Amino acid sequence: MNKKTMLLIIPAIALLACCIAAICVICIPSSYEVYTKQIQTAEKYLSDKDYDGAIKYYEMAKATDETQEEPYLKLAMIYYENKNDMEKAVAILNEGYEKTKSEQIKNALAVYLGSAEGTTVSSGKTDYNSNPVNITLLNMFGQYNYEQYSKNYTVVSDNYSDGVYTVRYNGIGAEFSYSNDSTKAVDDKAMKPFSYSFPTEIKVDKISDIITLPPQGMKIDELKKSAGITNAVAKYDNTLKKNIITFSCEKCTVSVETDKNGTITANTSYITVNPETVAAVARKSKVSGKVISVTTADIVSSAEVVVRKGKDSKDGESAAEVSIDSGNYSVELETGDYTFEVSASGYKKEYFNVYVSGADQEKDFSISPSLAEGEIRIVLEWGATPSDLDSHLEGTTKNGDEVSLYWMNPVATSGAKTIAQLDVDDRDGYGPETITLSELDGTYQYRVHRFSSSGSLAMSGAVVKVYSGSSEPITISVPSDCDEWWDVFTIENGEIKNINGATN
């Protein structure tokens, strides 16, 4: 081989080696991508009630990133609720607290340990034998709103009646009530609390979950010695017809029954907790969040937000100055109803009705990019539970091609052309979950499936928005008779028909 040939070959080999190295780097997924995929796989197994499969992938996710709290919480829940292994659940939470110092894990420990009296957190942070009052559980009761409970605990049962919503969660021995007494806590249309609402009252099943009592019981003077207890008062309640001790602890007011001698005993059947939330008075509270695109779930950095007082207020002056930076907004408002106008270059302007309570709240707004001629966009949004609802588009194109679009098959084609795609598949509540259809000549059915094994589709607060042309979207609310599937509407050659649900 002559030198000229060698000089040509050597650079070629070097270039090929560089290309291979670059491809390897590009193809190797980041640890975050690996972790996210493991979590998604675990959630699918959990939704299918394949607990061993879920445990396998949550363990893998925990090993990939031990600083994330979700694998510890989900593993503990599975062992506690489905494997009946309290010891394993507590051990996992102890490990998680040591690795993350997460308040959610600490609160979960309080609940689990309250179900196993006398157990002590190994980190030494909580010892229920040295302090008779369950400080950590009351701390959770004082700080958690409806959204936080829904994210961290599985709903066992819930009910809505005459403006009052009650719910029970697996792992917490209590009934939570939300009502529109002093504050507007319940959305009567959705028949569920607002995400930011605190319980009006928590009825605790067992005195031992809140107070560990000595054999002889406990009087008010002994209770006052406990750390964190203030304003302890003993009185006879004429409404309840009971002797009651009330005290404050961790932003909660606790009311507990005593016998006729003023002693709290293990047999007491009445103990309630009232979180000391701010009443709905004319005070300013903060509403903040982000503006996201329905097609990417990314923040829309160019977004603008205008707030007007009252529902459906689309004209007039702004009610307050909105601070917005790269799609993240914040505004302080007095209690009442408001309309948020959200816009951005290249997106459709939209309006959102928001009730502002006396408590700060986070509220994200999803807006849709402008549509091309001959396109329809379908956006699904819902509440915290069920955590995973799925959009399905099924039908036949004008050419006779079958369409079955959902999370496992996110792109539909006809010939060499993409005619529909699942832009976003949301798996942790709220949405958006989005489908864009660009081949309108055909017949299609749009359906929503409750993928999560727990929660109610009818009580999910699900809303579907259908965008087409320049008009405002059609909004369809989930009807009350849906269980696993909701057949929302059909599309026949671009026309929306057979709508199943209330429209706006």
Side-chain angles (χ1 to χ4, degrees):
M1 185 180 296
N2 61 42
K3 290 182 178 180
K4 185 180 289 187
T5 305
M6 287 291 293
L7 289 173
L8 291 173
I9 291 176
I10 291 172
I13 294 172
L15 178 61
L16 179 60
C18 290
C19 291
I20 293 171
I23 291 169
C24 290
V25 170
I26 292 169
C27 292
I28 296 172
S30 68
S31 59
Y32 175 77
E33 292 172 329
V34 172
Y35 170 82
T36 301
K37 185 65 176 178
Q38 290 164 341
I39 287 292
Q40 291 173 347
T41 305
E43 288 173 351
K44 290 295 186 184
Y45 276 117
L46 183 60
S47 298
D48 286 341
K49 298 184 180 181
D50 184 344
Y51 302 117
D52 291 333
I55 288 172
K56 175 183 175 181
Y57 279 92
Y58 280 127
E59 286 285 1
M60 291 168 64
K62 180 161 68 75
T64 299
D65 188 349
E66 62 182 18
T67 67
Q68 298 289 336
E69 62 189 17
E70 183 175 7
Y72 301 102
L73 290 166
K74 292 294 179 64
L75 283 167
M77 180 194 73
I78 294 170
Y79 279 109
Y80 176 60
E81 297 180 8
N82 306 111
K83 297 289 189 178
N84 197 28
D85 191 341
M86 171 69 79
E87 184 177 350
K88 182 69 171 178
V90 170
I92 288 171
L93 290 175
N94 268 314
E95 177 192 357
Y97 185 75
E98 292 297 331
K99 296 288 178 61
T100 67
K101 302 303 179 186
S102 161
E103 284 297 317
Q104 289 190 12
I105 292 178
K106 182 180 177 182
N107 291 332
L109 269 169
V111 174
Y112 284 35
L113 293 171
S115 302
E117 293 181 44
T119 310
T120 303
V121 181
S122 64
S123 64
K125 296 292 182 181
T126 309
D127 186 343
Y128 299 109
N129 292 321
S130 63
N131 187 349
V133 179
N134 191 336
I135 298 291
T136 309
L137 182 57
L138 290 178
N139 178 272
M140 182 181 77
F141 285 165
Q143 294 190 40
Y144 267 29
N145 57 26
Y146 175 70
E147 178 181 8
Q148 290 166 309
Y149 283 114
S150 300
K151 280 186 175 181
N152 291 288
Y153 296 96
T154 303
V155 173
V156 175
S157 62
D158 62 351
N159 180 66
Y160 172 85
S161 177
D162 296 328
V164 179
Y165 176 84
T166 56
V167 59
R168 280 184 170 273
Y169 300 99
N170 205 336
I172 308 179
E175 180 182 81
F176 296 76
S177 297
Y178 299 79
S179 65
N180 293 330
D181 294 336
S182 59
T183 64
K184 189 173 180 180
V186 181
D187 184 341
D188 294 318
K189 183 178 179 180
M191 297 187 292
K192 277 196 171 186
F194 296 102
S195 61
Y196 53 81
S197 296
F198 288 85
T200 311
E201 182 179 68
I202 304 169
K203 294 181 180 179
V204 181
D205 296 341
K206 298 186 300 181
I207 179 66
S208 58
D209 284 350
I210 300 297
I211 306 172
T212 301
L213 298 170
Q216 71 274 17
M218 182 179 293
K219 290 185 176 293
I220 189 169
D221 290 341
E222 299 169 274
L223 183 65
K224 287 179 177 179
K225 298 175 184 177
S226 302
I229 300 297
T230 60
N231 304 322
V233 177
K235 63 180 182 179
Y236 181 78
D237 190 301
N238 289 311
T239 302
L240 296 172
K241 306 299 182 185
K242 297 178 185 292
N243 292 299
I244 298 290
I245 289 177
T246 62
F247 62 88
S248 297
C249 182
E250 297 294 323
K251 297 182 180 180
C252 292
T253 297
V254 181
S255 300
V256 56
E257 182 183 2
T258 72
D259 63 17
K260 62 181 180 179
N261 299 315
T263 303
I264 304 171
T265 70
N267 295 323
T268 186
S269 58
Y270 180 85
I271 178 167
T272 63
V273 177
N274 297 88
E276 296 170 356
T277 53
V278 181
V281 295
R283 62 178 292 273
K284 287 189 175 181
S285 54
K286 184 170 73 172
V287 183
S288 60
K290 55 185 178 288
V291 179
I292 60 178
S293 169
V294 299
T295 56
T296 63
D298 293 331
I299 294 178
V300 181
S301 60
S302 61
E304 297 180 357
V305 178
V306 176
V307 180
R308 300 185 180 92
K309 194 165 183 60
K311 287 185 176 180
D312 301 316
S313 299
K314 299 181 180 180
D315 298 299
E317 296 182 358
S318 177
E321 183 178 349
V322 181
S323 172
I324 187 162
D325 180 20
S326 300
N328 295 280
Y329 78 91
S330 176
V331 60
E332 290 192 348
L333 298 166
E334 293 181 352
T335 299
D337 288 300
Y338 293 86
T339 302
F340 282 62
E341 176 187 291
V342 184
S343 60
S345 176
Y347 287 78
K348 295 177 70 66
K349 182 185 295 183
E350 295 204 46
Y351 300 89
F352 302 86
N353 289 324
V354 176
Y355 177 77
V356 177
S357 71
D360 294 346
Q361 61 171 299
E362 292 188 7
K363 177 73 175 177
D364 294 342
F365 298 118
S366 302
I367 59 176
S368 171
S370 301
L371 288 163
E373 188 70 26
E375 286 187 334
I376 285 178
R377 180 165 293 134
I378 308 164
V379 180
L380 169 65
E381 296 179 317
W382 66 101
T385 55
S387 61
D388 195 354
L389 298 184
D390 284 329
S391 291
H392 288 246
L393 186 68
E394 303 163 357
T396 308
T397 69
K398 66 177 181 179
N399 297 326
D401 294 324
E402 295 294 322
V403 172
S404 180
L405 184 76
Y406 66 115
W407 66 273
M408 280 194 70
N409 186 38
V411 177
T413 59
S414 180
K417 178 185 176 184
T418 296
I419 62 166
Q421 63 184 31
L422 179 64
D423 302 302
V424 178
D425 175 23
D426 184 87
R427 301 178 180 181
D428 56 1
Y430 300 102
E433 178 144 336
T434 306
I435 288 176
T436 300
L437 174 67
S438 56
E439 176 55 75
L440 304 187
D441 292 333
T443 303
Y444 310 96
Q445 170 82 55
Y446 175 74
R447 313 175 74 199
V448 174
H449 178 229
R450 173 178 57 79
F451 187 90
S452 299
S453 58
S454 61
S456 166
L457 180 53
M459 297 290 285
S460 66
V463 171
V464 171
K465 290 183 177 180
V466 187
Y467 298 82
S468 61
S470 59
S471 60
E472 291 191 21
I474 300 171
T475 302
I476 310 167
S477 300
V478 63
S480 59
D481 59 351
C482 294
D483 181 19
E484 186 179 355
W485 285 94
W486 173 22
D487 293 325
V488 188
F489 58 83
T490 58
I491 302 174
E492 297 180 16
N493 297 318
E495 185 178 353
I496 309 298
K497 293 185 176 181
N498 304 317
I499 296 175
N500 177 22
T503 59
N504 183 12

